[in-house]
Amino acid sequence: VHMVMHSCTKFIGGHSDILCGMLSTRSVQVASQLRGERSLVGGIPGSLECFLLLRSLRTMHLRVMRQSQSAVALASFFSRHPHVTVVHHPSLPSHPSYELCRRYMRQGPPGVMS
């Protein structure tokens, strides 16, 4: 992966009171190019937005843990529901990545399911 985009608005912010995003990369060259673009077109969060993100980061581990627990419970429930044909979540033994999830996601599976 060359670049990762995070929605700070929902997942990191968590309180629906900020509009923000973030790009991260390991490449020094790409990071330098992104900083140059940011300098030309803006996109730098203000002090209030930074404060709100910092506040949200302090509770992010709790929110992520609960999102994971909720996704596991919902995936389990819907996988047994007679009107649901398939549920995609790596916490389910039927998922192709079930063993990888158990091995590498020790804090719990992701909070997203379909």
Side-chain angles (χ1 to χ4, degrees), residues 61-90:
H61 66 286
L62 298 172
R63 290 182 283 114
V64 170
M65 186 172 53
R66 288 294 168 98
Q67 290 166 357
S68 175
Q69 292 168 351
S70 295
V72 168
L74 287 169
S76 176
F77 172 80
F78 284 123
S79 69
R80 295 187 310 269
H81 196 282
H83 297 320
V84 176
T85 56
V86 65
V87 176
H88 300 285
H89 194 261

Side-chain angles (χ1 to χ4, degrees), residues 24-41:
S24 61
T25 181
R26 290 184 184 182
S27 168
V28 174
Q29 181 181 3
V30 172
S32 177
Q33 184 178 357
L34 287 171
R35 277 189 214 94
E37 293 288 328
R38 181 187 67 190
S39 297
L40 293 174
V41 296

Side-chain angles (χ1 to χ4, degrees), residues 2-66:
H2 299 288
M3 193 178 317
V4 176
M5 178 184 286
H6 294 280
S7 170
C8 298
T9 300
K10 293 184 182 220
F11 203 67
I12 296 175
H15 298 281
S16 300
D17 58 1
I18 186 169
L19 180 62
C20 192
M22 178 177 69
L23 292 173
S24 61
T25 181
R26 290 184 184 182
S27 168
V28 174
Q29 181 181 3
V30 172
S32 177
Q33 184 178 357
L34 287 171
R35 277 189 214 94
E37 293 288 328
R38 181 187 67 190
S39 297
L40 293 174
V41 296
I44 300 171
S47 57
L48 175 62
E49 288 79 11
C50 291
F51 167 77
L52 293 172
L53 278 174
L54 179 60
R55 174 218 49 199
S56 297
L57 283 173
R58 291 180 178 137
T59 61
M60 186 174 171
H61 66 286
L62 298 172
R63 290 182 283 114
V64 170
M65 186 172 53
R66 288 294 168 98

